[in-house]
Structures are given as C-alpha cells and as structure tokens.
Amino acid sequence: MSNLQISLAVLGVVLLTLIVAYNSWSARRNGPKRAEPVEESADPQRHEPGMNTVGHGADLTKYQSEPVLGDFGQAIPGTDPVQMPESGGRFAEADAELARLVAREAHEEAQRQEALLQDASDVNEPEGEVTAQRTDAAIAAVTGQAAPAPKPVKADPVEPVLTAESLSVSIPPASSVERRGHLDELIDAITPITVAQMVPGEVALQAQPSTRRAGNKPFAIEGMNQDSKQWEPLQAGQRYLGFQAGVQLANRTGSLNEIEFSEFVTKIQRFADALGAMVDVPNMLNEVSRGRELDQFASEHDAQLSFMLRARQASWSAGYVQQNAQRLGFVTTPMPGRMLLQSPIHGLPPVLVLSYDPQAAMGDDLDQSVVREFLLSLDVAQVPRGQQPFVRLRQVAEQLCQTMDGVLCDQNGYLLPVSALDPIQHDLELLYDKLDSRELSAGSLLARRLFS
C-alpha cells in the first residue's frame, strides 16, 4: 500500500471515531435527564464476619468496633475483670472478648432493671448491693463460676389503673369541626324534622336515604343529641330528640335548582314518614334564589392558579421529576402523574398539586419516560390563608426551575416573568379579605364545601 492509501485509511478511521463520539454526545445531551441513584448510607462501624448474634442471646453488634491491642480482658465498671485463658491462641482471645461483651451487656441490663424496680416499688435495699449481686450473677453465668444467690426483694406489685387523666392524655381531643354540626344556614337550605318522642340512633340510620345527593348537590341529616344537646351526624348508640336535614345551596357545578330541591324534599319526607315525624319544608323559590345569589358570589371569588414549568433544553424523565419534587416535600398518590404537597394540619386539603403526563408516570422505566412540562396548581379557597400557599408556590417554582433547568410559564405555555407574580399576590390578599367578610374564609369547612 502506498503512503496515500495508508493516510486515507487512518483519516477514515479518525473521522468514523469522531462521528460515533459526536452521536453519543448528542444523544446524551438531548436525552431526558434521569433521576440520580440513591446512595446507601455508609456504616461507620465495621461488620466483622461471624459476629451476627441475631437470635443467639444478647445483641453484640453495637459493640463491633476496631480491635485495639491490649484491650482484651479489661474490667467493666462495677464488675470484676474477666480472666483470659492462658492458652488457646487467637481463638481464646476472641472467646474472652465475647465473654467481656456479654458481661457488659448483662451489667447494663441489670442496671436498667434496677432502675425500673426502684421506680415501681419502695425498695429499702441499697442500690449498690443489688447491682453487685446482679453483676456477680451475670459474670458467673458467663465464666461458669458459682455466684451467691441474691437476696429476694420484697416489692408489692403495682397494677396499672385506667383513669380519666390517662385517657385525656392518650386520646387527642376532636377538632372543633368534628364536634359541631356540619350544616350551616349560610350555604345550606335547612329543613327541621320534629319527632314525638326520642329516637335511637340505630333506627334513624336505618331510615335515612341510601344516597346523600340531590342531583349534583350533597345533603346531610343531623340529630339533636339527647345528652350533649348538640347537632351531630347520626351515630349508633345515641338517642336523638329531633332532626334537621340540609341541602347545599351551591357548589362549583352551579346553584340549587327546583328539580334538585324537589328531590331533596322527597327523600327527607320518606325519612320522616319512617320515623313518624313532621317535616317543615322551607319555601322552594326563596331557597333557590338564595342558591343563585351564593353561586354568583362564589363564581366571582373562585380562584384556581396553575403555573407550568417547561424544560429549557434537555427534557426530563418521570423519575427525575419525582425525585426533585420529593426533595421539596411532595408525595406520590395512587393517581398516576399526580403529586401532593400535604398540609401541615392533618385532614386539610393539600397546599399544592404537581401534575404531569399520566402516560409517562405509568411507563415501565421511569428513567426512559420523557416529560417536557408539568403543572403546579393551587386551589386558593381550599388552603388556609395563614399557610401562605402562594408564597410557598413561588418558592417551589423557583427552586424547581433552578435545579431542573426549567422556565416558568402560564398554563398556556407563555413565558412568565417573575415580576408578574407580585400583582397576583396582591389580588389574592384582596380576595382573602372578601372571603373573610362573608364568613367564608379560605380553608374553612364552609369554604371547602362551597368551592368543591
């Protein structure tokens, strides 16, 4: 081969290598960002072979440490030193070390038992004598030497007694929302139901309708508890002096109409007939008018904010989105592609909702599922004002944009500057004030029912 042919061959190999390298780099650059592997926490203690004592007496794993020359056979505080065998080599030294650790464990267990015994009963025997006896017995059990039997300790058994104080500490009090009635004249059309005599809760539960909806509006039945004289949901084992039923005047599906009100009256009349009670039905036109007025107010003050985060360059994988969201406190839900930032108050709706493509979330390999964008949503009326949900939304969006190399957009995909969020926050403060003036504060039970 001539020099020209050799040069062309070398040049072709180099060019082919460059093409392969560029394709690999381009695929890696344009591929979806994957979740970082979770690193296992390193154990600072060494796990020596043969020291697993699970199911074989005392747990010695917490004493596993780097051996130091000359520490075999050292005395344990409060005990006699364990004598090492004079022969046997490294096996004898290991046996002696094991005996020392068992003696230490027995000594500590004896001290714990002694402390519990002194708290439970009035023992006049000095602590040092009891501890020494227990320690001698523990060492004797390890070394095979006989030990004097400890003196019996006379202690009266203490039987735990269930008192009202212990119950008040162990059982948290119910929230005010659970203690008071669920119905409210502000958003419900309430119908009184008068009974001639007291009605057991079991009878009322059997007579109530099987469904709790009249069209698209929920309704509920409450009873006046004979003991507490408070309205409460029907419960077995209670006795009720009277009942009231209420249907919600409006929700996000619209206001209460005549057909829904008639269905509500029909179901309540059947309930009253089963109990031999009388129903005082309010004027239908008046309640329907109230529902329209309430629906008008709710429509003008209902705010649901959604912001989109889009990938700036390389797309993301579903696992990458989940990993970064979980670092900020989001949790996954049974619904694919939906994550929640839970409220710090138990029982309240989530503060924020993160949603992305459900098909990507249901993929076999989350690192291969491509996600180009996802939404951050806030339901203003469902979250209390004191939790500052919009401030939290801005913080989460800013952190995710920085860590994931994304940009903030509105729900239509147009870029949204940071300065555009300040007027939104000002408008939300005015909205909160209007809801408070109507006794429908954001995050309250009435607001959550109305804006649902």
Side-chain angles (χ1 to χ4, degrees):
M1 297 178 61
S2 61
N3 294 334
L4 179 59
Q5 293 176 335
I6 295 176
S7 302
L8 292 176
V10 173
L11 183 60
V13 172
V14 173
L15 182 60
L16 182 61
T17 304
L18 292 177
I19 293 175
V20 173
Y22 174 78
N23 291 336
S24 177
W25 173 82
S26 179
R28 185 180 183 85
R29 179 175 178 271
N30 297 326
K33 295 182 178 180
R34 301 181 180 181
E36 298 177 359
V38 180
E39 297 181 358
E40 297 181 358
S41 57
D43 190 355
Q45 298 181 351
R46 287 186 59 183
H47 296 279
E48 298 291 342
M51 292 295 290
N52 184 9
T53 61
V54 177
H56 301 284
D59 185 10
L60 305 180
T61 56
K62 62 180 180 180
Y63 299 113
Q64 295 175 9
S65 58
E66 196 70 29
V68 180
L69 183 62
D71 64 348
F72 296 109
Q74 293 181 357
I76 303 172
T79 63
D80 296 333
V82 180
Q83 300 295 331
M84 291 178 52
E86 298 180 357
S87 61
R90 60 187 181 91
F91 296 103
E93 294 179 355
D95 294 340
E97 174 68 6
L98 182 61
R100 186 178 70 86
L101 296 179
V102 173
R104 178 186 298 177
E105 178 71 16
H107 172 65
E108 294 179 355
E109 181 65 22
Q111 289 182 340
R112 288 193 295 267
Q113 295 293 337
E114 179 62 25
L116 294 176
L117 184 61
Q118 288 184 354
D119 293 340
S121 61
D122 298 332
V123 181
N124 299 325
E125 187 175 357
E127 180 182 358
E129 182 179 354
V130 176
T131 304
Q133 292 176 357
R134 292 179 179 271
T135 305
D136 294 340
I139 298 178
V142 175
T143 57
Q145 299 176 358
K151 296 180 180 180
V153 178
K154 297 181 180 180
D156 297 333
V158 180
E159 183 178 358
V161 180
L162 186 62
T163 60
E165 291 78 3
S166 61
L167 285 175
S168 62
V169 174
S170 60
I171 303 177
S175 62
S176 59
V177 175
E178 296 176 351
R179 287 198 299 267
R180 70 181 184 87
H182 185 72
L183 298 177
D184 195 294
E185 293 182 355
L186 187 61
I187 64 172
D188 294 308
I190 299 180
T191 301
I193 303 175
T194 306
V195 294
Q197 58 183 0
M198 179 272 304
V199 178
E202 293 80 1
V203 177
L205 289 173
Q206 293 179 359
Q208 68 178 351
S210 57
T211 60
R212 303 294 187 276
R213 301 191 73 86
N216 292 325
K217 305 301 180 293
F219 75 88
I221 301 177
E222 295 179 345
M224 173 66 71
N225 192 289
Q226 183 183 21
D227 299 329
S228 64
K229 301 299 187 296
Q230 298 290 333
W231 293 108
E232 66 179 16
L234 303 182
Q235 300 178 12
Q238 303 294 331
R239 296 177 179 271
Y240 299 104
L241 303 176
F243 301 92
Q244 66 176 3
V247 60
Q248 192 164 316
L249 294 174
N251 54 18
R252 281 177 173 164
T253 62
S255 62
L256 180 69
N257 55 42
E258 292 81 356
I259 298 177
E260 293 172 337
F261 187 84
S262 300
E263 182 181 353
F264 163 71
V265 172
T266 301
K267 293 184 177 181
I268 296 306
Q269 188 63 52
R270 293 176 183 173
F271 173 77
D273 293 342
L275 300 179
M278 297 181 59
V279 181
D280 185 9
V281 181
N283 183 270
M284 180 180 66
L285 297 180
N286 184 28
E287 298 301 329
V288 170
S289 176
R290 289 180 57 210
R292 291 173 181 172
E293 180 184 358
L294 183 62
D295 180 65
Q296 181 67 24
F297 172 82
S299 301
E300 296 175 354
H301 300 84
D302 191 5
Q304 295 176 282
L305 304 179
S306 296
F307 296 95
M308 180 183 296
L309 270 69
R310 301 181 61 183
R312 190 187 303 271
Q313 294 180 354
S315 59
W316 307 312
S317 65
Y320 185 75
V321 173
Q322 289 185 5
Q323 186 180 65
N324 285 275
Q326 288 173 351
R327 291 173 179 173
L328 298 180
F330 285 84
V331 296
T332 57
T333 62
M335 183 180 299
R338 181 181 173 90
M339 303 183 69
L340 304 178
L341 182 62
Q342 298 288 0
S343 172
I345 303 177
H346 178 70
L348 292 185
V351 179
L352 299 176
V353 178
L354 186 150
S355 56
Y356 58 95
D357 185 11
Q359 297 295 331
M362 292 187 298
D364 296 335
D365 188 359
L366 296 182
D367 288 336
Q368 299 296 333
S369 302
V370 178
V371 177
R372 292 288 306 177
E373 60 193 23
F374 60 86
L375 291 177
L376 281 175
S377 303
L378 166 63
D379 196 340
V380 177
Q382 298 288 329
V383 184
R385 182 179 188 176
Q387 297 183 14
Q388 298 183 346
F390 187 74
V391 175
R392 182 58 174 157
L393 173 62
R394 296 184 62 171
Q395 294 175 352
V396 170
E398 181 180 355
Q399 294 178 10
L400 291 177
C401 287
Q402 292 179 356
T403 57
M404 302 176 64
D405 190 22
V407 292
L408 183 63
C409 307
D410 60 9
Q411 57 184 355
N412 296 322
Y414 295 101
L415 293 180
L416 192 64
V418 180
S419 59
L421 300 180
D422 296 332
I424 298 178
Q425 186 170 359
H426 179 265
D427 294 340
L428 286 180
E429 295 298 330
L430 297 178
L431 175 62
Y432 286 134
D433 294 337
K434 293 180 179 179
L435 291 176
D436 293 341
S437 64
R438 193 66 181 263
E439 298 182 4
L440 293 171
S441 301
S444 63
L445 176 61
L446 297 181
R448 297 201 307 269
R449 290 178 55 202
L450 178 60
F451 298 96
S452 63

